[in-house]
Amino acid sequence: INAEYMGHFLSVYFFFRSTGPTMEEESMAPSRMGTQQVQAIGGVDDFTMDDIVDKLKFVDYETKFVIAKGFKPLHRSYFSRPHPNPNEQFYYFTSLVAWLMDQCGHSYTAPGQFDDPNASSAAIIAELKKLEMNVKDIAPGKLRTGHGDAVLHVVNTLLDKLLTQLEWEYKASDYPADGYAEEEGDEMGEDEVDDEVLSESEGEEEWYDPTGQSKKDAGASDAIESRIPADAWRMELERVTPMLKLRPKDSAKDWRSHLDWIASLLKTIERLFPDVKVLLEKIIDDISKAIDKITKRELNLSQQFTKEVEYYRNGKIDRDSLTENFNASSQTTSGLSTELNAINENLENVKAEIADRESKMTDTTPMVTIKEVMGTVKQEIKQMELRIGVLQHSILHQRLRQANAAATRSAKTPANTDIVV
């Protein structure tokens, strides 16, 4: 058993050694949380939320923040993805930021749960700038959601500042020595280890006593003596022996058990059948008598209430006929109502048309406009006649002047005729 356990342990050990770093390699590697490089927004990656939860535990936030302020502990993806209640997530973020600022020695009052998210985000950015933190790439709108890279960067930066003030140092893991001497040369394969363990198990077996001294197998050890009397052993054996007997349960698939069960049921039925038969026959007789009584009573009732039945039958016929008439009248009324609605609609259209025509007939606006235009035309005609008269007078005077001038020239012309000739 020891050899098989040892072989399984070594095979698992070499499997994890071949697929992952050894303890020495892991201890020599720098701490992931202490040496994160700046990527995207402040070095935010898939493990930032895990680092935040670990750092919060370093500053004892479970006692100072969760219990003191009545919040729930953060899980390792709270600020990495949207929450079903965004208002609650943003309120948790603002309260945590306010608490971290207070732990850093910077007084800041946490916004209320129902305050404006835009104003709260802008106030947080302003307070972070007062703390001389690098938030130039973060807009208030990125903090308003309550999750994402910007939120993780703000919380992680505040935690780094707080841990720096507390002089917290990240150290490599210190693993104790396992006490096994490392073999030089190439490592043994899994098959070689199994062969070696099996070869050792085939040899001489050893066992270890509580004092830690190794002894050889049972042949070299001292004889084991019991201090309990033989009578006590015998009595205990007699008491325990009945309890150690194995009693197999009957299987449900065993046909023999089924056959026995059927036989027992048959015997039970044969035993109970006579009494049950008597009871059933008595019940049958009672039921037959009750049916006869009911039949006779129905006949008596039908004979006694023949007139009433006929009356109600005729009433039912009349009711059915009235119902049919009512349905027919209802259909006729519906048709007439439809026609009436159509007639009313046509009447409203005719009334509207008549009113429109009446308004046009009684409207004197066109006549007034025509009179005004005719007055204007007459005035213009008078002005044109006056202008025509003035022009005729001017033309007449011009003709008279031309005639006088011509007469004057003709009078002067004979006196100068001889000279010209």
Side-chain angles (χ1 to χ4, degrees):
I1 295 174
N2 293 333
E4 292 179 359
Y5 174 75
M6 195 66 179
H8 178 69
F9 170 76
L10 290 175
S11 63
V12 173
Y13 170 75
F14 281 110
F15 171 75
F16 283 105
R17 186 179 180 87
S18 61
T19 57
T22 59
M23 293 182 180
E24 291 79 12
E25 293 172 354
E26 187 176 357
S27 63
M28 292 175 65
S31 175
R32 175 172 52 82
M33 289 192 298
T35 60
Q36 284 185 343
Q37 299 296 327
V38 176
Q39 300 173 358
I41 300 179
V44 176
D45 54 16
D46 295 338
F47 301 98
T48 303
M49 191 60 205
D50 292 338
D51 296 344
I52 288 173
V53 175
D54 294 336
K55 292 176 184 178
L56 286 172
K57 291 180 179 179
F58 294 158
V59 297
D60 194 18
Y61 95 108
E62 295 175 343
T63 303
K64 299 179 181 178
F65 178 75
V66 174
I67 298 177
K69 297 184 179 296
F71 286 95
K72 296 180 181 179
L74 288 174
H75 56 77
R76 296 187 179 271
S77 61
Y78 188 78
F79 291 133
S80 299
R81 60 187 181 183
H83 193 268
N85 190 351
N87 186 21
E88 179 182 349
Q89 189 178 29
F90 181 75
Y91 177 62
Y92 200 116
F93 164 68
T94 55
S95 302
L96 182 61
V97 168
W99 179 75
L100 291 174
M101 288 183 181
D102 184 67
Q103 295 295 313
C104 293
H106 182 76
S107 178
Y108 173 65
T109 304
Q113 185 175 2
F114 302 102
D115 292 352
D116 185 14
N118 295 321
S120 302
S121 302
I124 290 174
I125 295 294
E127 296 296 330
L128 292 174
K129 290 180 179 179
K130 292 180 182 179
L131 291 173
E132 299 179 354
M133 293 185 178
N134 183 17
V135 291
K136 61 181 181 179
D137 296 333
I138 299 178
K142 294 181 179 180
L143 299 180
R144 183 180 58 188
T145 59
H147 68 277
D149 295 344
V151 173
L152 294 174
H153 171 67
V154 170
V155 178
N156 193 30
T157 306
L158 287 172
L159 283 170
D160 290 340
K161 184 176 181 62
L162 178 58
L163 292 175
T164 303
Q165 291 182 0
L166 297 176
E167 297 181 355
W168 184 274
E169 296 181 359
Y170 297 99
K171 297 181 180 179
S173 302
D174 186 13
Y175 297 100
D178 52 7
Y180 296 102
E182 296 184 358
E183 296 181 1
E184 296 181 358
D186 298 336
E187 296 180 354
M188 293 186 299
E190 184 177 351
D191 297 336
E192 296 179 1
V193 173
D194 294 340
D195 295 339
E196 184 176 353
V197 172
L198 292 175
S199 62
E200 291 179 358
S201 64
E202 291 175 357
E204 201 172 42
E205 296 184 357
E206 294 184 0
W207 63 282
Y208 296 86
D209 60 1
T211 59
Q213 296 178 355
S214 176
K215 296 183 180 181
K216 297 296 180 181
D217 54 359
S221 60
D222 296 335
I224 299 175
E225 296 181 358
S226 177
R227 298 180 180 178
I228 300 174
D231 296 337
W233 273 109
R234 190 179 297 106
M235 292 177 63
E236 183 67 17
L237 181 61
E238 292 177 356
R239 185 183 69 82
V240 175
T241 299
M243 300 172 61
L244 296 177
K245 290 182 179 180
L246 183 61
R247 297 178 180 177
K249 297 181 179 180
D250 295 335
S251 177
K253 298 181 180 180
D254 188 7
W255 64 271
R256 294 182 180 82
S257 61
H258 284 192
L259 187 60
D260 295 339
W261 181 51
I262 292 172
S264 62
L265 292 177
L266 181 60
K267 291 180 181 179
T268 304
I269 292 172
E270 291 176 352
R271 178 172 53 83
L272 297 177
F273 180 73
D275 299 335
V276 174
K277 184 179 179 180
V278 173
L279 294 175
L280 291 175
E281 290 177 351
K282 184 178 180 181
I283 292 172
I284 291 172
D285 294 337
D286 294 340
I287 292 173
S288 300
K289 292 178 181 178
I291 291 173
D292 293 338
K293 289 181 180 180
I294 292 171
T295 304
K296 292 179 181 179
R297 186 62 178 170
E298 287 179 350
L299 292 174
N300 293 329
L301 290 174
S302 62
Q303 292 176 359
Q304 293 176 2
F305 297 97
T306 303
K307 295 182 180 180
E308 286 79 1
V309 171
E310 188 67 23
Y311 173 75
Y312 281 108
R313 185 180 290 110
N314 295 330
K316 182 180 178 182
I317 294 172
D318 295 338
R319 182 178 64 85
D320 294 338
S321 62
L322 290 174
T323 303
E324 291 178 359
N325 294 331
F326 173 76
N327 293 332
S329 301
S330 298
Q331 292 178 359
T332 305
T333 304
S334 299
L336 294 175
S337 299
T338 304
E339 293 179 1
L340 178 62
N341 293 330
I343 293 171
N344 289 331
E345 186 177 357
N346 293 331
L347 180 61
E348 293 295 332
N349 294 333
V350 172
K351 287 182 179 180
E353 187 177 356
I354 293 173
D356 188 15
R357 290 184 179 182
E358 288 180 353
S359 63
K360 289 181 180 180
M361 293 174 64
T362 57
D363 189 9
T364 59
T365 302
M367 297 296 295
V368 174
T369 305
I370 291 172
K371 288 181 180 181
E372 291 178 356
V373 171
M374 290 178 65
T376 304
V377 170
K378 289 180 180 181
Q379 188 70 23
E380 290 179 354
I381 291 171
K382 289 180 180 180
Q383 291 179 0
M384 290 296 292
E385 290 178 351
L386 180 61
R387 289 180 183 179
I388 291 170
V390 171
L391 289 174
Q392 289 178 351
H393 181 71
S394 299
I395 292 170
L396 179 60
H397 279 279
Q398 184 67 25
R399 288 179 179 178
L400 290 175
R401 282 200 288 282
Q402 290 178 357
N404 293 331
T408 304
R409 285 195 301 273
S410 63
K412 292 179 180 181
T413 301
N416 297 329
T417 304
D418 298 335
I419 296 172
V420 174
V421 175

